[in-house]
């Protein structure tokens, strides 16, 4: 569970959790949906794309409801979840390797010299 009101530009913790095969429930805020690549459960937040708003109230009940739904579904369909989490793990291990991330940063820094 990651009830995060901060306007993330990316989230290494989310990448690592998804690569580890965890079921993630995160705020649908800033770059978190993009980082999750459709694999995390997203909980809406009022000002999802406002880069100036750093603190805003979170609907904790929405996170509880999302967690209950995920847990119930995992208990009801364990084999489907296992397949999904294996696909998620493969995707993140292929797409979010450090050498891929560092190359993009080196290119960005090199252009701005």
């Amino acid at each position: 569970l990651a009830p995060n009101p901060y306007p993330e530009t990316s989230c290494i913790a989310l990448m690592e959790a998804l690569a580890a095969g965890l079921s993630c429930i995160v705020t649908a805020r800033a770059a978190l949906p993009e980082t999750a690549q459709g694999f995390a459960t997203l909980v809406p937040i009022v000002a999802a794309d406002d880069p100036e708003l750093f603190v805003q109230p979170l609907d904790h009940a929405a996170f509880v409801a999302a967690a209950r739904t995920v847990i119930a579904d995992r208990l009801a369909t364990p084999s489907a979840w296992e397949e999904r989490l294996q696909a998620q793990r493969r995707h993140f291990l292929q797409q979010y390797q450090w050498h891929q991330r560092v190359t993009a940063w080196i290119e960005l820094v090199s252009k701005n010299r």
Side-chain angles (χ1 to χ4, degrees), residues 22-47:
L22 300 177
S23 301
C24 297
I25 301 170
V26 300
T27 309
R29 173 101 163 102
L32 293 176
E34 179 184 348
T35 301
Q37 301 274 310
F39 289 99
T41 299
L42 302 174
V43 177
I45 192 167
V46 176

Side-chain angles (χ1 to χ4, degrees), residues 1-2 10-27 31-42 70 74 81-97:
L1 290 173
S10 185
C11 184
I12 292 173
L14 179 58
M15 291 176 205
E16 293 287 337
L18 292 165
L22 300 177
S23 301
C24 297
I25 301 170
V26 300
T27 309
L32 293 176
E34 179 184 348
T35 301
Q37 301 274 310
F39 289 99
T41 299
L42 302 174
V70 168
R74 284 193 70 172
W81 270 90
E82 185 59 34
E83 288 177 29
R84 176 185 172 191
L85 294 175
Q86 288 302 321
Q88 166 190 301
R89 195 165 182 277
R90 278 191 304 277
H91 174 81
F92 278 86
L93 290 174
Q94 291 172 355
Q95 301 300 317
Y96 283 96
Q97 294 182 20

Side-chain angles (χ1 to χ4, degrees), residues 50-94:
D50 185 345
E52 301 295 321
L53 187 58
F54 289 94
V55 178
Q56 60 177 301
L58 290 167
D59 183 355
H60 293 96
F63 273 88
V64 170
R68 285 182 175 155
T69 299
V70 168
I71 291 167
D73 194 46
R74 284 193 70 172
L75 291 172
T77 59
S79 61
W81 270 90
E82 185 59 34
E83 288 177 29
R84 176 185 172 191
L85 294 175
Q86 288 302 321
Q88 166 190 301
R89 195 165 182 277
R90 278 191 304 277
H91 174 81
F92 278 86
L93 290 174
Q94 291 172 355

